[in-house]
Amino acid sequence: MTERKPMTLPRLAQMHTSGEKIAMLTCYDAAFAGLLDEAGVDILLIGDSLGNVLQGRGSTAPVNLDDMLYHTTCVRRGVKHAWVIADLPFDSYHVSKEEAWKSAAALVKAGAHMVKLEGGGWTTETVRFISERGIPVCAHLGFTPQTVTSLGGFKVQGRDEESAARIKRESQALVDAGAAMLLYEMVPAALAAEITAASPVPVIGIGAGVGTSGQVLVLHDMLDITRGKKPRFVKNFMAGRDSILDGVKAYVDEVKAGTFPVNEVHGF
Ligand code: KIV
């Protein structure tokens, strides 16, 4: 068997170009990092969704940089192969580009390969500032959980012509500014597929249909640990399986085969 090499940004870019699907999951600790790595997950995201799934909060806004640093350190200890992305939490990149750099650099020192931030437009110059100084950035567009209040709730973004055009315009500006990856949450499948086909960088989707370069889900959702009603785009990969490793392997297999998500079932 050939030795699996650590994931790199050029390899992710090559997967995007060749159409080889990218499997990504959120991860918050060393134990799961080892297991997800073994299952073949390409990217681990230390998502600020930890505010919801670990801390029991109603939103991601209260998560602070120290929380993110702690969980990034834990994940990095457990991972051998996967690319590691850490979320810049709410209020850690908003006031100035310099503050954003400091927050991003702290996450890199804790073990992240890349940082993710939410929003387009005003974030463009921040992405340029961080990328030019050597930290790869993933830009999260569409539904942005940190600003759920100003979006008026958990709503699909980019449904009408005007907002779809804005998302496309902002994506282009972010890529021009140096964003090395794009992530779309809850946008129509057709819009995400169109952007992906034209994108020079990998595009990850969550509730954005099957036409993106890869998929991400919140770990606790796909393992059916999360209680209550889950978003339409979630699939329970533990159904009919009795080991977490098998559930995660099934997710990787389905993402790679393009059989998850199914637009008509999980999409908008
Ligand atoms: O924090 C998170 O888990 C995320 C995903 C929803 C992509 O940003």
Side-chain angles (χ1 to χ4, degrees):
M1 212 170 90
T2 51
E3 173 77 9
R4 214 170 125 222
K5 294 194 191 126
M7 185 55 77
T8 61
L9 205 45
R11 172 78 186 114
L12 289 167
Q14 183 197 30
M15 289 169 82
H16 163 65
T17 311
S18 67
E20 187 184 337
K21 296 279 186 185
I22 299 166
M24 169 168 163
L25 281 175
T26 66
C27 185
Y28 316 102
D29 65 37
F32 271 107
L35 188 143
L36 268 48
D37 222 16
E38 186 183 333
V41 178
D42 300 303
I43 304 177
L44 306 187
L45 168 67
I46 301 104
D48 58 0
S49 53
L50 66 84
N52 305 92
V53 300
L54 300 188
Q55 298 176 337
R57 299 180 189 275
S59 91
T60 57
V63 174
N64 62 40
L65 189 59
D66 284 343
D67 296 330
M68 296 308 302
L69 292 172
Y70 172 73
H71 288 282
T72 301
T73 308
C74 294
V75 167
R76 191 54 196 274
R77 282 197 197 115
V79 77
K80 283 205 194 100
H81 306 288
W83 183 251
V84 175
I85 307 179
D87 266 340
L88 280 163
F90 184 67
D91 195 26
S92 74
Y93 60 97
H94 300 66
V95 172
S96 68
K97 299 182 298 232
E98 289 77 9
E99 179 211 41
W101 165 261
K102 284 281 178 203
S103 305
L107 288 169
V108 167
K109 287 180 192 177
H113 297 121
M114 177 180 239
V115 297
K116 176 165 81 60
L117 52 72
E118 294 185 8
W122 71 271
T123 60
T124 306
E125 289 315 309
T126 303
V127 167
R128 192 188 312 281
F129 192 86
I130 298 175
S131 308
E132 278 180 352
R133 282 157 182 75
I135 299 180
V137 181
C138 171
H140 182 152
L141 296 165
F143 176 74
T144 45
Q146 289 174 4
T147 45
V148 58
T149 315
S150 57
L151 293 177
F154 290 83
K155 289 187 180 153
V156 178
Q157 304 295 308
R159 268 207 204 274
D160 59 83
E161 235 176 80
E162 196 187 321
S163 64
R166 182 175 47 76
I167 290 175
K168 285 194 232 173
R169 210 171 42 245
E170 290 180 350
S171 306
Q172 185 61 55
L174 285 159
V175 171
D176 291 345
M181 189 178 289
L182 297 170
L183 186 148
Y184 295 92
E185 179 163 358
M186 288 210 294
V187 299
L191 173 63
E194 185 190 334
I195 293 173
T196 305
S199 175
V201 300
V203 177
I204 307 296
I206 173 164
V210 74
T212 51
S213 333
Q215 299 294 327
V216 61
L217 283 178
V218 170
L219 180 66
H220 291 51
D221 289 348
M222 56 81 71
L223 293 179
D224 203 32
I225 295 169
T226 310
R227 299 295 87 202
K229 193 169 178 286
K230 284 174 268 302
R232 174 192 169 110
F233 54 76
V234 172
K235 175 171 172 179
N236 171 11
F237 282 90
M238 286 306 291
R241 300 189 177 90
D242 53 19
S243 96
I244 290 176
L245 187 62
D246 284 351
V248 176
K249 278 183 176 167
Y251 169 76
V252 173
D253 288 349
E254 291 194 28
V255 169
K256 300 273 175 196
T259 52
F260 175 79
V262 175
N263 284 352
E264 295 72 28
V265 181
H266 311 106
F268 302 104

